[in-house]
Amino acid sequence: MPTLKSLLAQSRHTVFLGGAGVSTASGIPDFRSAHGLYMEKKQGISYEEMLSHDYYVRHTAQFYDFLRNVMLYPDAKPNPAHLALAKLEQEGLLEVVITQNIDGLHQMAGSQNVIELHGNEDRYICRSCGRVYNMRYVMDSPGVPVCGCGGALKPDVVLYGEMLNQKDLTRAIAYAEQAELMIVGGTSLVVYPVAGLVNYLSPGAKLVIINRDPTPYDSRADLLLHEDLGAVLAQAADLTSP
């Protein structure tokens, strides 16, 4: 059976597709596991509903209260998985990180080419003038944060009921189509259209899945690992002690 390191060495075009499981070791809960955020409710309302465009529009104050107290992790730091992916990119073994996460930890770890399909929680855009604010501004603002011009701020993330940024999705598809190796890590591969990126792989491309729980694509994997993501990636990137 091939190893991740051997597959990386043989591939000229490698992409990483990651989800919430990449950041759990940084103290950020995942979403769809038995203990994930979407299993929780607040006053009878699901977390999924509170992350919807409709809830943001109709209950803006409650939306931002939920965001500050549940969804934002301003003190989170990159974990071994983020650091290993950055090292693989620096060594020319990884072309791009395609992520569903909004925490910005890949960039903090040093990754340069990151496609954030669901946006970034550190960006808030004024709906009137377009000025951009960061997470700290929102955390420090009482109630509903507003722009200096008085306009409403909206997080630059994809809420439920909104479409993905088509430019980012098109870029991700292009990388998937040319990939000789796709490493999938920390994602259940049940959320589309992101999960569908696996279907853009060419017939000869290799697929590696590293995830704690089974995914619908496990039978297609050339290498399937139900192991700790950070440990596997760190070993492949030679970040572990011999």
Side-chain angles (χ1 to χ4, degrees):
M1 178 177 293
T3 65
L4 178 55
K5 184 175 289 190
S6 67
L7 290 172
L8 280 164
Q10 295 164 14
S11 172
R12 295 171 299 172
H13 302 285
T14 299
V15 303
F16 178 83
L17 174 62
V22 178
S23 293
T24 52
S26 296
I28 301 176
D30 66 355
F31 295 90
R32 298 183 182 277
S33 71
H35 304 287
L37 284 176
Y38 288 161
M39 300 298 292
E40 304 290 338
K41 288 189 176 182
K42 183 177 181 181
Q43 299 178 347
I45 304 174
S46 71
Y47 282 8
E48 188 168 339
E49 181 180 346
M50 284 188 280
L51 287 173
S52 69
H53 177 82
D54 182 70
Y55 195 83
Y56 162 76
V57 172
R58 295 175 179 270
H59 308 283
T60 309
Q62 294 93 324
F63 171 88
Y64 272 107
D65 178 65
F66 171 71
L67 208 66
R68 293 187 189 96
N69 291 299
V70 178
M71 295 301 301
L72 299 183
Y73 293 83
D75 299 322
K77 303 297 181 186
N79 64 56
H82 300 107
L83 297 172
L85 291 167
K87 184 171 186 287
L88 289 173
E89 181 190 41
Q90 292 163 8
E91 294 180 345
L93 295 172
L94 180 67
E95 287 190 334
V96 64
V97 168
I98 304 169
T99 181
Q100 301 172 76
N101 295 343
I102 61 174
D103 51 47
L105 293 181
H106 285 294
Q107 294 93 323
M108 194 182 299
S111 291
Q112 299 295 313
N113 192 18
V114 181
I115 301 176
E116 296 174 308
L117 291 176
H118 291 165
N120 190 303
E121 66 186 9
D122 198 33
R123 292 192 300 265
Y124 298 80
I125 301 174
C126 176
R127 303 182 75 180
S128 297
C129 73
R131 184 177 176 182
V132 179
Y133 292 82
N134 60 21
M135 184 197 307
R136 181 51 58 189
Y137 179 83
V138 170
M139 295 290 289
D140 293 342
S141 298
V144 177
V146 295
C147 177
C149 76
L153 299 186
K154 182 183 180 300
D156 189 19
V157 300
V158 179
L159 302 174
Y160 281 92
E162 297 179 339
M163 298 286 291
L164 297 185
N165 181 297
Q166 291 304 297
K167 181 179 179 181
D168 290 336
L169 182 58
T170 298
R171 285 186 63 216
I173 290 172
Y175 276 109
E177 288 176 333
Q178 71 175 2
E180 295 181 0
L181 171 63
M182 175 179 281
I183 305 169
V184 176
T187 174
S188 57
L189 287 176
V190 297
V191 178
Y192 288 82
V194 178
L197 290 172
V198 175
N199 296 320
Y200 286 94
L201 291 173
S202 65
K206 303 294 184 181
L207 175 64
V208 174
I209 296 178
I210 313 166
N211 200 52
R212 181 185 61 192
D213 301 317
T215 81
Y217 289 88
D218 284 1
S219 62
R220 292 177 53 179
D222 297 279
L223 178 61
L224 178 63
L225 300 170
H226 295 302
E227 301 175 19
D228 180 81
L229 178 64
V232 171
L233 292 176
Q235 184 178 39
D238 294 321
L239 287 178
T240 55
S241 300

